[in-house]
Amino acid sequence: MTPGTSQPVRVRFAPSPTGYLHVGGLRTALYNYLFAKHHNGKFILRIEDTDQSRKVEGAVENLISTLSWAGIPYDEGIDRPGDFGPYVQSERLDLYRRHAEELIRFGKAYYCFCTPERLEEVRKKQIAAKLQTSYDRHCRNLDKDNVESLLAAGENHVVRMKVPLDGELSFEDEIRGIVTIAYQVLDDQVLLKSDGFPTYHLAVVVDDHHMQITHVIRGEEWLPSTPKHILLFRSFGWETPVFAHLPLLLNPDKSKLSKRQGDVAVEEYRAKGYLREALVNFVAFLGWNPGDEREIFSLEELVREFSLERVGKSGAVFNVEKLNWLNFEHLRRKSDVDILSMLREYLAASEFAATQFDDAYLLSVISAMRDRVSFVREFVEKSPYFFKPPIEYDPTVVKKRWKSETPELLRRLIGEFSSLGNPAKEDFEAALHRTAEASKVGNGEIIHAVRLAVSGIGTGPGLYDILFLLGKEESIRRIAAAIHTLG
Ligand code: GLU
């Protein structure tokens, strides 16, 4: 339970299936989930598909699988039936119609028979007169008999909400405080369309009531609709849920977060190899903070700490640098074995799908590289030489490290390596030192050239770690190949 309601907490994420899951949608889902779990309540997934023209094939399945990838489970939804289903609006049309008729009986709504042509006329006149465009309430006061005969004649009609002509409506938003709006600015909103489908406004209120939603937590873009919803709740004589409108998501230049400036689909971040833990942690901070310096949170910690009181009003900037940093931090917190299974998954979809690597080998690669990568794919991108021999050598490193005497030094090194039996890391090191000493050069003369020969590049983990990981035979093969190629 929570202040503001006397019932157990029930919240919902109510996306329209229009395609991908927007990061803003993920934030709404996450905040609802965190709020529900913090209060031992229920989190519901409701599909709002009343606008059939915007419906996209496969969008619902995609939503469900993306939420499941993100690790945000819901208690009730299409595939998790509860007591308040169906959880898809297009399967609840009767309910909306019944309630629309009820509102007409209460005198809170009315039939409107205006044709699209007439409405267009009205609109044009209002525009020409520089007035705000809205329905001119032509059918608001039709007499009862007239309405009856038009209905009997099967005239096309919609149902409109009867907004009071004066006065104002106030409500308290958990995040924004008191919001007041004059009824005059509200249109006589269509509630039921001529095709029998409800508009979003009617469906959302009917469902929030019947699904016993206690808190409506959603993006700020819905704030202008909220007075209409509250008016509807009151018209039905239903208890109004608590409202909380989350701040806008902004690009770093403070414009509204848009597809043009970067990725907004959760699916994109998933495909790029971001960890769910990092993305969830990142999204949690888009509007909320714990009130202190801590930044790395697991989902369980977020559930424990989340509260609407700590959600701010001002827009939240979407900063990819921070997301990358969080990915690094969350990857660092994974065990080698967890990383192994992610690396295997990555390899299975890569050019190395058919190459055999045993677990012990991959685990060694992981421990050598794990402090140097922010993404699982970087194990391969930053150290491809652990997965295949170099096919080329970084020219700037060649210029700096490959001298005329290098081939001869490396030939001697190969000789030393060959005589080693089952060498440990230290044995490679000692063999290299012996070669340098016998050749009267510093160790560095050989170390950098060997690194180049076995990896093709000039940076990476310790050379002896690399040699040990590759093993004696492979190291010798690669050094010989470099002598052959670079001369
Ligand atoms: N169906 C709306 C959407 O697509 C939901 C708005 C609400 O949560 O009331 O975001």
Side-chain angles (χ1 to χ4, degrees):
M1 276 189 288
T2 174
T5 65
S6 51
Q7 293 112 25
V9 165
R10 289 177 56 83
V11 293
R12 83 308 193 271
F13 174 47
S16 298
T18 52
Y20 58 90
L21 177 60
H22 192 285
V23 284
L26 179 66
R27 182 190 60 175
T28 302
L30 176 66
Y31 283 18
N32 275 283
Y33 170 81
L34 297 176
F35 184 78
K37 296 303 127 181
H38 185 88
H39 293 285
N40 286 319
K42 294 273 193 273
F43 171 49
I44 289 115
L45 174 67
R46 182 172 73 220
I47 303 298
E48 302 208 327
D49 60 347
T50 54
D51 188 350
Q52 294 279 310
S53 64
R54 290 176 67 215
K55 209 168 164 174
V56 172
E57 213 45 56
V60 173
E61 293 72 16
N62 180 56
L63 254 164
I64 290 176
S65 89
T66 308
L67 281 179
S68 136
W69 169 77
I72 305 176
Y74 40 89
D75 300 293
E76 297 167 27
I78 297 195
D79 51 343
R80 289 185 207 156
D83 297 337
F84 304 89
Y87 294 90
V88 184
Q89 289 187 328
S90 58
E91 294 172 21
R92 301 166 66 83
L93 299 182
D94 274 354
L95 184 69
Y96 307 128
R97 169 176 292 281
R98 266 198 347 256
H99 282 300
E101 285 163 3
E102 187 178 41
L103 277 186
I104 291 174
R105 283 201 305 281
F106 293 169
K108 305 286 188 186
Y110 60 94
Y111 291 109
C112 166
F113 300 90
C114 290
T115 61
E117 293 73 33
R118 175 171 190 279
L119 294 176
E120 188 48 33
E121 273 307 298
V122 171
R123 228 176 73 86
K124 277 193 193 140
K125 278 190 198 143
Q126 288 171 336
I127 291 173
K130 297 201 172 15
L131 292 170
Q132 195 197 327
T133 57
S134 61
Y135 178 55
D136 65 353
R137 301 183 160 138
H138 180 72
C139 296
R140 184 162 160 137
N141 298 310
L142 291 183
D143 71 55
K144 211 163 174 267
D145 295 341
N146 197 355
V147 170
E148 294 290 315
S149 58
L150 287 166
L151 287 177
E155 286 295 328
N156 254 346
H157 61 271
V158 300
V159 174
R160 285 184 185 272
M161 187 169 167
K162 210 177 228 176
V163 175
L165 298 176
D166 47 50
E168 55 184 32
L169 181 145
S170 278
F171 66 96
E172 184 167 7
D173 184 274
E174 284 289 285
I175 294 163
R176 315 203 63 89
I178 303 283
V179 179
T180 302
I181 182 158
Y183 282 125
Q184 267 169 7
V185 304
L186 297 184
D187 207 354
D188 277 2
Q189 175 72 51
V190 173
L191 298 176
L192 201 65
K193 296 180 272 189
S194 55
D195 61 3
F197 272 76
T199 55
Y200 156 70
H201 304 283
L202 175 64
V204 79
V205 167
V206 167
D207 285 347
D208 284 344
H209 170 71
H210 280 279
M211 294 183 180
Q212 299 183 6
I213 299 302
T214 54
H215 297 73
V216 172
I217 304 170
R218 60 186 174 194
E220 190 175 299
E221 63 274 24
W222 301 104
L223 188 60
S225 301
T226 306
K228 296 177 190 170
H229 300 171
I230 293 184
L231 183 57
L232 282 173
F233 277 105
R234 292 182 187 168
S235 301
F236 282 119
W238 294 339
E239 196 182 330
T240 308
V242 174
F243 285 91
H245 288 90
L246 308 175
L248 287 178
L249 298 187
L250 306 175
N251 292 302
D253 69 1
K254 301 284 161 84
S255 58
K256 197 173 162 207
L257 185 68
S258 70
K259 220 176 158 80
R260 254 178 302 125
Q261 301 202 27
D263 293 322
V264 292
V266 175
E267 294 85 331
E268 289 285 337
Y269 290 94
R270 178 184 180 180
K272 283 187 178 164
Y274 284 94
L275 297 173
R276 74 194 72 189
E277 293 87 346
L279 191 60
V280 162
N281 189 163
F282 174 71
V283 161
F285 272 72
L286 294 175
W288 172 87
N289 69 73
D292 55 34
E293 296 300 299
R294 290 169 303 151
E295 294 194 276
I296 319 284
F297 280 80
S298 67
L299 191 59
E300 295 70 35
E301 288 164 334
L302 289 170
V303 167
R304 212 163 39 240
E305 306 244 353
F306 184 80
S307 73
L308 289 175
E309 287 85 68
R310 297 220 55 85
V311 176
K313 279 204 253 293
S314 45
V317 174
F318 192 98
N319 176 354
V320 175
E321 308 281 299
K322 175 153 184 209
L323 173 57
N324 292 343
W325 171 74
L326 282 171
N327 213 68
F328 173 76
E329 290 295 331
H330 279 277
L331 191 58
R332 245 164 52 108
R333 284 163 172 75
K334 296 259 177 207
S335 69
D336 286 359
V337 174
D338 283 345
I339 296 180
L340 175 64
S341 74
M342 293 190 283
L343 180 57
R344 282 232 177 264
E345 197 178 316
Y346 176 80
L347 290 171
S350 75
E351 60 173 302
F352 301 108
T355 318
Q356 298 290 328
F357 299 104
D358 60 34
D359 281 356
Y361 177 74
L362 291 179
L363 284 168
S364 310
V365 172
I366 289 165
S367 87
M369 288 299 295
R370 56 173 302 151
D371 289 339
R372 297 160 186 270
V373 301
S374 298
F375 293 89
V376 170
R377 62 177 148 77
E378 289 180 346
F379 282 103
V380 178
E381 288 171 1
K382 289 197 166 171
S383 54
Y385 48 86
F386 284 132
F387 302 89
K388 63 177 182 196
I391 37 175
E392 47 190 24
Y393 303 91
D394 183 338
T396 51
V397 185
V398 173
K399 198 155 166 235
K400 194 158 162 217
R401 305 293 190 192
W402 197 269
K403 315 226 168 86
S404 54
E405 61 276 18
T406 303
E408 183 48 30
L409 289 171
L410 293 194
R411 267 192 281 274
R412 286 185 201 157
L413 182 72
I414 290 178
E416 284 288 345
F417 279 2
S418 306
S419 62
L420 300 173
N422 203 15
K425 196 171 127 177
E426 294 71 25
D427 300 322
F428 284 108
E429 185 171 4
L432 189 143
H433 288 182
R434 281 198 299 279
T435 310
E437 206 170 321
S439 314
K440 300 201 168 42
V441 297
N443 295 333
E445 288 294 303
I446 306 181
I447 291 176
H448 297 296
V450 177
R451 176 187 289 284
L452 177 68
V454 297
S455 73
I457 56 177
T459 54
L463 174 65
Y464 307 114
D465 288 312
I466 300 180
L467 294 173
F468 177 68
L469 247 154
L470 294 174
K472 174 179 133 179
E473 303 302 333
E474 180 64 14
S475 298
I476 291 176
R477 240 193 321 275
R478 290 188 184 189
I479 296 168
I483 296 171
H484 177 78
T485 309
L486 297 173

